[in-house]
Amino acid sequence: MPHILILGATGTIGNALAQSLVRSGNHTVYGLARSSAKAKSLALQEIIPVLGSVQEPQGFQTLLEEHPEVSVVVDAAAVYGDSVTLLNLIIDAAKKRLAKYKEVGVPAGPKLGYVYVSGMWLHGSSHNVVSDQDPFVGTSATRTAPVSMVSWRPEIERLVLASETKASLDTAIVRAACTYGGSSAIWTGPFSAALKAARAEPQPEKVQIQLDPLGNAALAHVDDVASGIQALIEKLPQFAGTGIYPVFDVMSQIESIKAIMEGAARALGYKGTVELAGAADGDVVGDALGASVIGDSGRAKSLLGWVPTKKGFLHGIDVYAQAWLAGFENK
């Protein structure tokens, strides 16, 4: 049974992935937790908690050193400024494992696997078709710069794919689309504006939402993103050293931002007109949510066998808006 360590196991994507792996019955799952309270929440989900953080890495360093059965580390932490440090710590652990093989005379022990969870916003916002086989994404050679919220990620991706890194690790990258489902916390800004209008007495005739009115978002339900990452984890040993470009966009729909917001506002009880006015200056989240990303996941489907199951944000907007509301009011 493969053993997987997830960094960011209490976050939106990391926790969905951990639960998916546990439910499969094929994996033992460890999750990094910053506090005893978060460790207890992981244990309740049958995820083995590992206390620690970038600042206090001894817990997961010891796990990787003393448990060679841990075969893959997934970084779903999305921690700005700490991702390079995390990667260097994992590389160091992988080098120690390879040195241990040599020390005890193991001729060809497996490399530690490493999956970095990035995002499709690296493609930037445009109505041009984008591809996960484009090696220039995030560089000066591309037509569109990454949206500002993820402008730091290209450096991490280059480090993950560097030959020096791959000498010690089997690496791959999943670029997740904008997620929906569950608490949908990233949608709180625009959804809360619609909710405020819905609960006003009397309701205003028009509510203005700070998103691009022409935006067409690449989307995936968080559970589908989790199954895509799981598919990559399970295929990672087969790809190592084959020459397959190990970067996969994971998305299942492209939908109009305006239609999403009109549907969400209606589901939250607003009866007036929804007007999208573009992201406010300095609003990096609104800028990202309104981004147009015209991509596809053909490679993830054909090479990984990934099969997304959710029909779309708009298709289930009543359910998803109420799920967001429950999470919002349960803070």
Side-chain angles (χ1 to χ4, degrees):
M1 177 180 289
H3 290 52
I4 314 297
L5 169 62
I6 301 175
L7 312 178
T10 58
T12 299
I13 292 177
N15 193 250
L17 171 62
Q19 291 188 43
S20 179
L21 291 168
V22 168
R23 284 196 301 268
S24 75
N26 296 325
H27 303 274
T28 297
V29 183
Y30 297 84
L32 189 64
R34 292 175 178 268
S35 66
S36 57
K38 289 189 174 183
K40 287 179 181 178
S41 74
L42 291 178
L44 183 62
Q45 300 170 70
E46 302 173 15
I47 302 160
I48 302 169
V50 179
L51 278 171
S53 65
V54 176
Q55 292 73 31
E56 298 179 349
Q58 296 83 2
F60 71 82
Q61 286 179 310
T62 299
L63 174 73
L64 293 176
E65 185 173 343
E66 296 183 356
H67 293 270
E69 67 274 16
V70 176
S71 57
V72 178
V73 178
V74 180
D75 182 2
V79 183
Y80 173 74
D82 286 344
S83 291
V84 174
T85 302
L86 278 170
L87 178 56
N88 286 330
L89 289 169
I90 302 302
I91 291 172
D92 184 60
K95 287 180 177 177
K96 289 180 178 178
R97 182 173 292 189
L98 293 176
K100 185 69 172 179
Y101 294 157
K102 186 175 181 179
E103 177 186 333
V104 301
V106 174
K111 287 181 184 177
L112 182 63
Y114 179 82
V115 174
Y116 179 63
V117 181
S118 186
M120 288 186 68
W121 285 326
L122 260 72
H123 291 292
S125 180
S126 80
H127 292 280
N128 297 316
V129 176
V130 298
S131 170
D132 54 11
Q133 283 192 293
D134 181 358
F136 297 112
V137 171
T139 73
S140 59
T142 193
R143 291 180 293 180
T144 311
V147 301
S148 57
M149 193 171 80
V150 297
S151 61
W152 53 277
R153 283 195 186 272
E155 176 192 1
I156 311 301
E157 287 201 3
R158 287 192 285 273
L159 288 172
V160 171
L161 298 177
S163 57
E164 295 86 351
T165 302
K166 294 173 77 68
S168 304
L169 293 168
D170 287 334
T171 65
I173 295 170
V174 166
R175 292 195 187 122
C178 181
T179 59
Y180 63 92
S183 64
S184 297
I186 196 165
W187 292 91
T188 293
F191 277 23
S192 60
L195 179 66
K196 181 179 179 181
R199 291 182 171 177
E201 294 185 4
Q203 289 188 358
E205 293 183 2
K206 179 174 66 177
V207 60
Q208 195 171 80
I209 306 293
Q210 305 282 225
L211 294 175
D212 185 348
L214 301 179
N216 291 291
L219 300 166
H221 191 283
V222 65
D223 289 345
D224 283 334
V225 170
S227 70
I229 301 170
Q230 180 173 336
L232 177 55
I233 289 170
E234 293 171 348
K235 292 289 180 67
L236 186 59
Q238 300 176 35
F239 291 152
T242 64
I244 292 174
Y245 191 56
V247 179
F248 297 90
D249 286 346
V250 172
M251 58 161 286
S252 49
Q253 301 95 27
I254 298 173
E255 296 181 359
S256 160
I257 296 296
K258 182 171 175 57
I260 291 168
M261 287 312 307
E262 288 174 341
R266 175 188 52 75
L268 293 170
Y270 178 64
K271 296 179 173 58
T273 300
V274 175
E275 179 181 278
L276 271 59
D281 289 344
D283 180 6
V284 295
V285 177
D287 181 58
L289 286 175
S292 292
V293 184
I294 313 302
D296 71 77
S297 288
R299 292 177 67 247
K301 293 173 181 176
S302 62
L303 296 177
L304 305 180
W306 177 56
V307 180
T309 61
K310 303 298 183 179
K311 291 181 169 48
F313 204 178
L314 280 172
H315 187 275
I317 193 65
D318 289 356
V319 171
Y320 299 133
Q322 291 303 315
W324 167 82
L325 180 59
F328 180 71
E329 293 184 331
N330 195 39
K331 287 183 180 178

